[in-house]
């Protein structure tokens, strides 16, 4: 079974009287364990597509299936449940809840899932160590650098045990060293845990990591090809 | 506790303290509101309590026993026998604390200059004192009160003595009817004058010993009424029925609420007024509460969107904000109730209001106000605050739950 299937997905935005095309008949099939980058210039529809796949936004045409579930047939609560159990999100910035510590942020989704305190804590600490933040568990987001905050977000996205991680410009606010570090981490998690990654980016360095590169333009998929991954150099 | 609820409990508490200043201002406002609710209720309760107590002093007692026709025609013809058997033993044991058997007849009282109609009470001073219906020592302005049931002196209100142009040591003639409608009269010496809070009371009642009056009226040891008290007028309904069955069908037993419906109404009005007062105060506070919560939601749109994206259901978001509001309400309630308790307890010994005493006396009050802290008022105000507070918080919380996650996350 495919991890994600998009069939002729359309999304149009209304801005005043103007109609803006977000997605124009996008069809895409993603297999479990893929490491896929969505690329394309700003405004090409990457975010809109990720939001639609992540059940945050409802397309006005076409059909999306995630893990075998057709999103169009689910209620608001069921969509929330799907996001909670199966999808991990990493946004461009402001990923964390400011009043919670790094550990509590990582535990957040697991706690909503209803995991026991001991289990949560063990997983959270393991994940924070995996993203290189051992020792910073008690810090609040304001006491962490941008790169560290993104890594907490990655730890949270993976800790809840999702099948699919959606990352929207995860390196946009990071320096090249932090970017390389984060992408290495994605690649490692993908390899070790078999989690499917879909990463929207217009950073060529990030695209290099992908085994499959999907190019978008004006809301359409204009290229979809396999490639040999290439890591960024750490300077 | 479900996962989402446990997360909410911690998050709501921390969110509450994100803006210390705003939270503390709201906390202070609601606490003062709660304090005012309870304090005002205590004052009003103290006032009505005193009005009822004063009313029961002249009634007197919380329960009275009469011959069936007496209440329609309070004449000597409708006398009753001295209590005996079941009634007597009921009167002599708890919860009854004091009782008095009294003769109460309309009479004419005349000095050498003037005459007046009064209600003449033939009493046993000891039991009247126990009942609280005899003038207190400091209410005797001249002379003394009666010394026993056989005392054949008469004690008049100071105002009545003035009207009759008589005084201590002088003789007056009292005139009434015996059961056979014969005029019964005799002279009595004025042995004491009493003052009452209301001049009407001074002019209406005159006291003499029970036995001389029984002899004058030729009724043997019959009496007009038995008045009984168990101390607290609020609990009359608990023991009155036992007295009804003890008295049997030949006698009529009535509680103070039946004897003086006005007093009972006053209590109900007081309760209703307290509740209205509480609701009005809190309705004003709710505006502040709604505003505070709406600001909090506005400032946190992004992270609310984030929590939704992470899989928190709209219902859980709603709960999160209601919980934050509930924390604020509960803290305010603790502070407000504590402040009320601390300020009212020392005042329960009485607040001197002699400056405005004239007006108070007109309302049937003394010059000292005794605020009464009632658990029911604290409970009521808590219920009002929690109920209305959560209700007021529903709107901003519901708005937060309805936020569109995509738009919320994109807002910076
Ligand atoms: N909420 C919105 N309202 C109006 N237009 C929008 C909205 N979201 C996206 N768009 C438009 O849809 C198109 C695709 O946007 P987006 O998916 O954000 O592109 P990308 O992420 O590739 O930069 C753009 O033209 C953008 O202006
Ligand atoms: Mg984008």
């Amino acid at each position: 079974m495919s991890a994600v299937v998009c069939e002729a997905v359309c999304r149009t935005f209304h801005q005043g009287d103007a109609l803006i095309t977000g997605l124009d008949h996008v069809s895409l099939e993603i297999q479990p364990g893929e490491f896929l980058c969505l690329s394309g210039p700003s405004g090409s529809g990457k975010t809109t597509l990720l939001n639609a796949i992540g059940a945050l936004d409802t397309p006005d045409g076409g059909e999306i299936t995630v893990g075998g579930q057709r999103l169009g047939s689910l209620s608001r609560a069921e969509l929330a449940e799907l996001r909670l159990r199966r999808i991990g999100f990493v946004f461009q910035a402001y990923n964390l809840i400011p009043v919670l510590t790094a550990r509590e942020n990582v535990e957040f989704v697991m706690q909503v899932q209803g995991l026991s305190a001991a289990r949560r804590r063990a997983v959270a600490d393991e994940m924070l160590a995996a993203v290189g933040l051992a020792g910073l568990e008690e810090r609040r987001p304001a006491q962490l650098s941008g790169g560290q905050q993104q890594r907490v977000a990655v730890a949270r996205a993976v800790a809840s045990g999702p099948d699919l991680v959606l990352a929207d410009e995860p390196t946009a606010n990071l320096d090249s060293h932090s970017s390389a570090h984060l992408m290495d981490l994605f690649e490692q998690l993908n390899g070790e845990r078999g989690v499917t990654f879909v990463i929207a980016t217009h950073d060529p360095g990030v695209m290099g990591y992908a085994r499959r590169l999907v190019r978008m333009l004006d809301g359409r998929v204009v290229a979809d090809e396999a490639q040999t991954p290439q890591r960024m150099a750490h300077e | 506790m479900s996962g989402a609820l446990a997360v909410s409990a911690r998050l709501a508490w921390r969110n509450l303290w994100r803006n210390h200043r705003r939270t503390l201002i709201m906390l202070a406002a609601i606490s003062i509101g709660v304090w005012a609710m309870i304090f005002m209720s205590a004052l009003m309760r103290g006032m009505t309590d005193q009005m009822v107590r004063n009313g029961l002093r002249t009634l007197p007692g919380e329960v009275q026993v009469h011959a069936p026709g007496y209440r329609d025609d309070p004449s000597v013809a409708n006398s009753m026998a001295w209590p005996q058997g079941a009634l007597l033993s009921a009167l002599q044991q708890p919860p009854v604390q004091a009782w008095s058997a009294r003769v109460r007849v309309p009479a004419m009282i005349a000095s050498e200059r003037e005459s007046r109609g009064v209600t003449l009470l033939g009493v046993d001073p000891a039991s009247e004192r126990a009942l609280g219906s005899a003038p207190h020592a400091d209410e005797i302005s001249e002379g003394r009160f009666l010394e026993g049931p056989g005392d054949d002196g008469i004690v008049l209100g100071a105002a009545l003595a003035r009207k009759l142009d008589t005084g201590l040591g002088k003789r007056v003639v009292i005139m009434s009817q015996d059961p056979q409608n014969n005029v019964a009269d005799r002279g009595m010496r004025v042995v004491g004058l009493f003052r009452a809070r209301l001049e009407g009371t001074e002019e209406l009642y005159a006291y003499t010993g029970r036995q001389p009056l029984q002899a004058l009226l030729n009724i043997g040891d019959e009496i007009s009424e038995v008045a009984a008290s168990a101390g607290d007028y609020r609990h009359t309904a608990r023991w009155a029925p036992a007295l009804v069955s003890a008295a049997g069908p030949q006698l009529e037993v009535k509680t103070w609420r039946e004897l003086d419906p006005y007093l009972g109404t006053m209590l109900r009005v007081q309760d209703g007024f307290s509740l209205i007062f509480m609701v009005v105060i809190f309705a004003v506070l709710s505006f502040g509460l709604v505003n505070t919560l709406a600001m909090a939601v506005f400032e946190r749109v992004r992270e609310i969107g984030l929590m939704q994206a992470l899989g928190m259901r709209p219902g859980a978001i709603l709960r999160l904000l209601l919980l934050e509001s509930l924390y604020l309400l509960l803290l305010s309630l603790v502070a407000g109730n504590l402040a009320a308790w601390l300020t009212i307890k020392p005042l329960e010994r009485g607040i001197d209001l002699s400056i405005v005493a004239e007006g108070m006396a007109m309302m049937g009050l003394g010059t000292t106000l005794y605020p009464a802290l009632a658990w029911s008022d604290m409970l009521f105000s808590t219920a009002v605050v929690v109920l209305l507070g959560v209700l007021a918080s529903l709107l901003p919380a519901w708005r937060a739950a309805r936020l569109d996650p995509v738009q919320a996350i994109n807002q910076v």
Side-chain angles (χ1 to χ4, degrees), chain B residues 135-376:
Chain B
H136 298 154
D138 62 357
E139 288 172 321
I140 298 294
S141 57
E142 281 181 68
R144 59 171 175 81
F145 192 62
L146 304 170
E147 283 169 342
D151 195 330
D152 65 354
I154 190 166
V155 177
L156 304 179
L160 180 64
R162 254 193 326 277
K163 292 255 158 72
L164 291 173
D165 203 0
T166 185
L168 193 67
K170 301 243 174 94
R171 282 184 80 84
V172 289
V173 175
I174 61 165
M175 199 191 310
S176 190
Q177 291 192 354
D178 70 11
Q180 288 73 45
N181 294 332
N182 300 316
V183 170
D185 60 350
R186 66 163 282 186
M188 282 183 170
R189 189 171 303 279
V190 177
V191 296
L193 300 180
F194 71 90
R195 285 195 190 289
R197 276 172 308 95
L198 300 176
E199 214 170 82
T201 310
E202 287 182 24
E203 289 183 26
L204 186 59
Y205 294 108
Y207 295 87
T208 184
R210 188 187 74 237
Q211 286 156 357
L213 189 55
Q214 282 169 328
L216 172 67
L217 298 172
N218 201 19
I219 54 173
D221 70 348
E222 285 192 353
I223 50 172
S224 311
E225 65 188 6
V226 171
S229 166
D232 193 336
Y233 63 84
R234 293 178 198 85
H235 303 150
T236 309
R238 291 186 201 161
W239 58 278
L243 216 58
V244 172
S245 52
Q250 303 84 358
L251 290 172
E252 186 182 73
V253 179
K254 295 283 179 198
T255 65
W256 62 273
R257 279 181 194 270
E258 298 164 302
L259 295 166
D260 190 346
Y262 169 74
L263 288 179
T265 307
M266 211 150 58
L267 278 185
R268 275 198 302 281
V269 168
Q270 129 87 36
D271 280 339
F273 200 75
S274 283
L275 190 62
I276 290 172
F277 184 75
M278 288 176 184
V279 170
V280 167
I281 286 197
F282 198 75
V284 174
L285 286 173
S286 330
F287 285 103
L289 188 68
V290 169
N291 195 45
T292 305
L293 207 61
M295 298 251 287
V297 169
F298 179 74
E299 289 166 0
R300 295 182 214 146
V301 164
R302 234 202 101 87
E303 74 191 68
I304 290 169
L306 177 68
M307 289 189 280
Q308 286 181 313
L310 294 180
M312 217 164 170
R313 292 170 181 230
I317 305 276
L318 184 94
R319 270 208 311 261
L320 174 67
L321 283 145
L322 287 186
L323 210 56
E324 182 173 340
S325 173
L326 195 64
Y327 282 147
L328 179 67
L329 294 170
L330 291 181
L331 283 179
S332 311
L333 278 167
V334 169
N337 275 287
L338 200 70
W341 193 80
L342 288 176
T343 46
I344 295 169
K345 272 292 158 192
L347 292 178
E348 279 188 332
R349 264 170 271 139
I351 309 169
D352 188 6
L353 289 174
S354 37
I355 315 158
V356 286
E358 293 274 308
M360 303 287 287
M362 270 167 50
M363 289 159 60
L365 291 164
T367 56
T368 309
L369 190 54
Y370 300 91
L373 185 64
W375 288 112
S376 63

Side-chain angles (χ1 to χ4, degrees), chain A residues 83 93-95 99 104 111, chain B residues 3 7 14 302 306 308-309 313:
Chain A
R83 292 194 296 268
Y94 306 108
N95 264 296
V99 288
E104 288 165 346
Q111 196 171 3
Chain B
V7 179
R14 295 209 188 146
R302 234 202 101 87
L306 177 68
Q308 286 181 313
R313 292 170 181 230

Side-chain angles (χ1 to χ4, degrees), chain A residues 5 52 73 108 131 139 142:
Chain A
V5 180
S73 65
F108 182 87
V131 300
R139 296 227 185 147

Side-chain angles (χ1 to χ4, degrees), chain A residues 11 13-15 20-23 40-49 168-169 200 202 219, chain B residues 406-407 410:
Chain A
R11 179 71 164 103
F13 297 103
H14 301 258
Q15 206 159 50
I20 300 168
T21 304
L23 294 175
S42 184
S44 58
K46 305 183 294 294
T47 298
T48 308
L49 183 57
D168 191 3
E169 314 267 6
H202 53 251
Chain B
V406 174
Q407 280 177 20
N410 289 328

Side-chain angles (χ1 to χ4, degrees), chain A residues 99-181:
Chain A
V99 288
L100 299 181
T101 64
R103 179 189 286 125
E104 288 165 346
N105 263 290
V106 176
E107 284 189 36
F108 182 87
V109 179
M110 290 187 279
Q111 196 171 3
V112 178
Q113 284 176 340
L115 261 62
S116 76
R119 174 112 188 85
R120 278 193 328 250
R121 192 184 168 120
V123 173
D125 285 355
E126 183 199 328
M127 285 315 306
L128 282 169
V131 300
L133 293 177
L136 303 183
E137 294 89 352
E138 303 289 343
R139 296 227 185 147
R140 296 244 178 137
Q143 300 165 314
L144 296 169
S145 72
Q148 289 170 332
Q149 288 184 32
Q150 284 304 75
R151 281 188 271 159
V152 174
V154 171
R156 179 187 59 206
V158 181
S160 54
D163 312 322
L164 175 65
V165 171
L166 302 174
D168 191 3
E169 314 267 6
T171 61
N173 295 322
L174 303 184
D175 57 44
S176 61
H177 175 75
S178 302
S179 298
H181 195 96

Side-chain angles (χ1 to χ4, degrees), chain B residues 58-181:
Chain B
T58 43
L59 195 58
E62 295 114 52
V63 176
Q64 290 185 354
V65 186
H66 298 112
Y70 180 84
R71 291 211 306 140
D72 288 333
D73 174 18
S75 75
V76 71
N78 289 318
S79 302
M80 60 181 272
W82 187 264
Q84 46 201 294
L87 179 57
L88 184 61
S89 73
L91 289 170
Q92 282 168 340
Q93 60 182 309
V96 176
Q97 289 179 359
W99 65 280
S100 175
R102 32 194 0 241
V103 180
R104 176 186 182 122
V105 286
M108 188 70 101
I109 187 161
S111 68
E112 59 272 40
R113 292 176 187 274
E114 297 282 346
S115 62
R116 295 272 157 170
V118 295
T119 296
L120 185 59
L121 299 169
V123 299
D124 176 344
S127 22
E128 292 295 320
R129 261 189 215 105
L131 200 60
S133 52
H136 298 154
D138 62 357
E139 288 172 321
I140 298 294
S141 57
E142 281 181 68
R144 59 171 175 81
F145 192 62
L146 304 170
E147 283 169 342
D151 195 330
D152 65 354
I154 190 166
V155 177
L156 304 179
L160 180 64
R162 254 193 326 277
K163 292 255 158 72
L164 291 173
D165 203 0
T166 185
L168 193 67
K170 301 243 174 94
R171 282 184 80 84
V172 289
V173 175
I174 61 165
M175 199 191 310
S176 190
Q177 291 192 354
D178 70 11
Q180 288 73 45
N181 294 332

